[in-house]
Amino acid sequence: MRVTIVGGGLAGSEAAWQVASRGVPVTLHEMRPVRPTAVHRTDALAELVCSNSFRGDKLDNAVGLLKEEMRRLGSLVMRAAEASRVPAGAALAVDRDRFSEIVTRAIAEHPLVTVVRDEITKIPSSSDDSPVIVATGPLTSDALSSDIARIVGSEHLYFYDAISPIVLAETIDRGKVFRASRWGRSLRGEVRLQPDQPACGMDDGEGDYLNCPLTREEYDRFYDALVSAESATVHDFDKERFFEGCLPIEVMAHRGRDTLRFGPMKPVGLVDPRTGREPYAAVQLRQDNLAGDHFSLVGFQTQIKWGEQARVLKLIPGLEQAEFVRFGMVHRNTYVNGPTVLAETWQVRSRPSLFFAGQMSGVEGYVESAASGLLAGLNAAAIAKGGRASSPPRTTAIGALAYYVSHANPAHYEPSNITFGILQPLSGAPRGKQQRNLALSERALADLDEWMGVRGLMETVGADPRVGP
Ligand SMILES: Cc1cc2nc3c(=O)[nH]c(=O)nc-3n(C[C@H](O)[C@H](O)[C@H](O)COP(=O)(O)OP(=O)(O)OC[C@H]3O[C@@H](n4cnc5c(N)ncnc54)[C@H](O)[C@@H]3O)c2cc1C
């Protein structure tokens, strides 16, 4: 009985801790420093590659709830974060070196964990009593990426994240946009994985998209602002050529004034009901989460600096007051199409003794990556001991994330942060946003405690003297 984990990042380290905490031996393979990545700077486990923030830490915030659930499940990442916390208002930010040092020490000193510094180029063989967790992150090495493609099918493995900006639905000016699909076609003919829930990107309104129409003058104003906007500095790997299919809008714009009107801003097949005509150009907004409170700008991947993005994109009619939930970016990001490949236990559907966890499993963010590693670790330990894998209910943040990764619409799949929008709705919820979120959190924590009780997890998550300031 042994669990093998590939990748000692946030997900892999958390998974190793969970497995070992349940009395199952672990071998953790981490390729740094033998083989570096384009972004990591140290050889520490759980290195934070960019910001030092784990985001909000209050229960009226979805990532705050996810963190509280992880604390209850005995998360090493959460304990190390508390022990290296720096002042950051309502957010949980850490001293990054101290954080990684605590995780590295806790893992290295655990008697059931063996850390091996090598690059794994093929997915190790797995069986029920010796499961494997692959948690090699967005910068999974090339050789291993090829082997993953062999197992999941190359069409279900992505190498670039062309992320379009996302806006909060309630900040879109509905008086200026119109709801319609191109040529009146609806996406609702597509396969739905859950008959009771519209899948991601779908809409139960009259059309699948919200369309922002632009007159010639508005288009020219937008175009001029776009071509003169400042681009963000890119990492080395971003200097590689872009795929034609995911060109940043500013790159397209530099090819000619009308290129965008024949690309992501093409108006053909879209009739504005107020004029009865096609607009000069149009930007389409697609529902981005199950709850429908986020809309992404279709085909608007961009590398423009975030401040500049807000300025330029607010020139689009209907988005003048838009609040951005996420800005656009293009970067190397290896991840599988979760809904096609994974079960909600983070097991590979076609091979249940193999798990994918972390960013490469199709979640987004430090906390979400660690949370997926936590559940994959719990489940790998369970099956190694002859038990069964399971996931907390969708009323919890960790269960909702697992559900999203395995059930969102595969046709438009993009890694997601945790939001309250993907939790199962609460009937009779209070009206105000903050009160509603707090009620969702209260229900989530009660349901998590119940699930932990049923799974016999309450006894195994007590404080561990190896992790501390
Ligand atoms: C440039 C960039 C910036 C980001 N910034 C943020 C941010 O500010 N905030 C945020 O919340 N999220 C950010 N993310 C997203 C994401 O949350 C982090 O990448 C996070 O570290 C993912 O955790 P992980 O465990 O999945 O991967 P990682 O933390 O990257 O861990 C994967 C580990 O696997 C190792 N590995 C890879 N291939 C092999 C192999 N073949 N054999 C053995 N080991 C291997 C790597 O060396 C690495 O240590 C960023 C991502 C990128 C690419």
Side-chain angles (χ1 to χ4, degrees):
M1 178 174 72
R2 173 169 292 275
V3 174
T4 300
I5 299 174
V6 188
L10 286 154
S13 302
E14 182 65 57
W17 181 256
Q18 293 294 330
V19 174
S21 301
R22 273 143 201 101
V24 179
V26 187
T27 303
L28 175 62
H29 297 270
E30 167 52 53
M31 70 176 184
R32 291 173 291 122
V34 181
R35 180 179 271 273
T37 77
V39 171
H40 292 86
R41 298 278 168 259
T42 73
D43 58 5
L45 300 179
E47 178 181 333
L48 302 179
V49 291
C50 190
S51 138
N52 66 333
S53 172
F54 287 96
R55 309 181 349 255
D57 201 24
K58 297 270 183 284
L59 289 177
D60 59 0
N61 179 305
V63 77
L65 170 63
L66 182 60
K67 287 203 277 288
E68 178 55 25
E69 293 180 5
M70 292 171 69
R71 288 185 188 106
R72 293 186 183 206
L73 287 160
S75 162
L76 169 64
V77 165
M78 282 303 113
R79 282 195 223 166
E82 292 302 342
S84 55
R85 189 172 192 139
V86 295
L92 172 56
V94 301
D95 173 323
R96 66 178 69 242
D97 294 329
R98 178 125 184 76
F99 168 78
S100 302
E101 186 191 303
I102 294 171
V103 174
T104 307
R105 187 159 33 88
I107 295 284
E109 290 177 359
H110 199 294
L112 288 176
V113 185
T114 307
V115 179
V116 182
R117 299 287 182 160
D118 61 356
E119 181 194 357
I120 297 296
T121 53
K122 283 202 172 343
I123 294 180
S125 60
S126 59
S127 62
D128 282 354
D129 71 344
S130 299
V132 168
I133 301 174
V134 177
T136 42
L139 306 162
T140 297
S141 69
D142 290 345
L144 187 64
S145 296
S146 309
D147 200 48
I148 295 171
R150 189 181 58 76
I151 287 184
V152 304
S154 54
E155 70 279 21
H156 302 311
L157 183 68
Y158 307 114
F159 293 104
Y160 280 84
D161 226 350
I163 301 179
S164 299
I166 295 180
V167 295
L168 201 57
E170 66 198 36
T171 64
I172 300 167
D173 185 342
R174 301 295 174 121
K176 294 194 175 166
V177 303
F178 62 94
R179 192 183 276 279
S181 292
R182 210 177 289 279
W183 308 117
R185 273 193 306 243
S186 171
L187 293 175
R188 276 174 289 159
E190 291 181 4
V191 178
R192 284 168 59 158
L193 293 164
Q194 288 297 305
D196 59 330
Q197 252 325 337
C200 219
M202 300 214 195
D203 197 329
D204 53 9
E206 288 166 29
D208 296 306
Y209 294 89
L210 294 179
N211 301 280
C212 309
L214 288 90
T215 61
R216 181 175 197 141
E217 295 68 40
E218 287 164 341
Y219 179 82
D220 283 342
R221 200 153 53 99
F222 170 75
Y223 177 85
D224 291 336
L226 179 64
V227 290
S228 59
E230 199 183 341
S231 271
T233 349
V234 292
H235 283 284
D236 285 350
F237 52 80
D238 289 328
K239 293 192 184 124
E240 294 172 35
R241 287 163 61 84
F242 295 115
F243 293 133
E244 276 297 305
C246 69
L247 286 177
I249 47 165
E250 62 276 16
V251 174
M252 277 187 257
H254 279 290
R255 290 182 174 178
R257 185 167 281 270
D258 280 331
T259 310
L260 288 171
R261 288 209 314 122
F262 291 94
M265 295 180 76
K266 75 171 177 251
V268 288
L270 291 171
V271 177
D272 185 342
R274 278 158 309 196
T275 61
R277 288 199 313 268
E278 280 177 5
Y280 185 73
V283 175
Q284 292 200 291
L285 310 177
R286 182 172 57 219
Q287 186 181 323
D288 195 78
N289 61 351
L290 291 170
D293 54 358
H294 293 175
F295 278 78
S296 60
L297 280 70
V298 179
F300 261 57
Q301 52 274 5
T302 168
Q303 293 207 125
I304 294 175
K305 280 193 169 168
W306 289 4
E308 288 279 89
Q309 272 188 51
R311 182 179 65 81
V312 173
L313 296 175
K314 284 181 177 186
L315 295 174
I316 297 170
L319 301 187
E320 293 89 345
Q321 305 299 326
E323 206 177 293
F324 290 87
V325 179
R326 186 182 77 184
F327 284 105
M329 55 181 130
V330 181
H331 66 78
R332 172 81 193 258
N333 188 8
T334 311
Y335 66 95
V336 297
N337 186 317
T340 311
V341 174
L342 295 175
E344 59 199 77
T345 49
W346 262 288
Q347 286 165 291
V348 174
R349 288 186 195 178
S350 58
R351 186 171 148 189
S353 58
L354 175 64
F355 295 74
F356 289 147
Q359 183 101 358
M360 57 90 59
S361 71
V363 295
E364 175 71 33
Y366 297 152
V367 185
E368 290 83 350
S369 294
S372 78
L374 190 157
L375 194 52
L378 275 181
N379 282 330
I383 66 169
K385 290 162 89 173
R388 62 178 187 85
S390 69
S391 174
R394 280 174 62 203
T395 50
T396 64
I398 195 164
L401 196 61
Y403 185 85
Y404 175 84
V405 164
S406 51
H407 290 80
N409 184 351
H412 305 292
Y413 191 68
E414 279 190 6
S416 174
N417 286 130
I418 184 71
T419 69
F420 279 115
I422 64 172
L423 266 69
Q424 212 159 21
L426 176 64
S427 55
R431 270 179 173 272
K433 188 173 163 190
Q434 194 186 24
Q435 292 313 313
R436 189 172 63 235
N437 291 349
L438 286 170
L440 282 163
S441 289
E442 195 181 329
R443 180 189 63 175
L445 295 175
D447 287 359
L448 183 73
D449 287 348
E450 192 183 326
W451 180 81
M452 287 175 66
V454 172
R455 289 274 314 226
L457 290 170
M458 290 295 198
E459 313 81 61
T460 54
V461 294
D464 190 296
R466 273 179 294 258
V467 191

